[in-house]
């Protein structure tokens, strides 16, 4: 996710705290949040998939 979209998410969050969002802004916010969560899940899954156990890479001395 690019930084412009994250800036837009933050802007909409700040605006929603200060005043109310229009219906279009609420829909945009919901869509951006879903996209952000999907990116976070993808990155987390990639991190989990890259984990290797130490026992798998250690060769016995005998």
């Amino acid at each position: 996710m690019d930084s412009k979209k994250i800036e837009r998410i933050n802007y909409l969050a700040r605006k929603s705290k200060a005043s109310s969002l229009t219906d279009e802004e609420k829909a945009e916010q919901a869509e951006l949040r879903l996209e952000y969560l999907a990116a976070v899940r993808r990155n987390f899954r990639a991190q989990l998939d890259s984990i290797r156990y130490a026992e798998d890479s250690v060769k016995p001395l005998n």
Side-chain angles (χ1 to χ4, degrees):
M1 172 166 262
D2 63 15
S3 62
K4 288 183 181 183
K5 287 185 179 182
I6 293 174
E7 288 176 20
R8 183 66 179 165
I9 290 170
N10 291 332
Y11 168 76
L12 291 171
R14 284 191 303 273
K15 185 177 177 186
S16 71
K17 289 180 182 179
S19 63
S20 62
L21 298 175
T22 65
D23 290 337
E24 293 170 351
E25 289 172 329
K26 287 178 185 177
E28 179 186 10
Q29 184 182 42
E31 183 179 324
L32 287 171
R33 283 181 175 170
L34 287 176
E35 187 177 338
Y36 177 78
L37 287 174
V40 168
R41 288 182 183 117
R42 259 192 323 273
N43 290 337
F44 187 64
R45 172 54 55 194
Q47 286 180 343
L48 290 177
D49 289 342
S50 68
I51 294 174
R52 299 292 176 248
Y53 292 100
E55 294 88 26
D56 293 343
S57 62
V58 175
K59 295 181 182 179
L61 297 175
N62 301 8

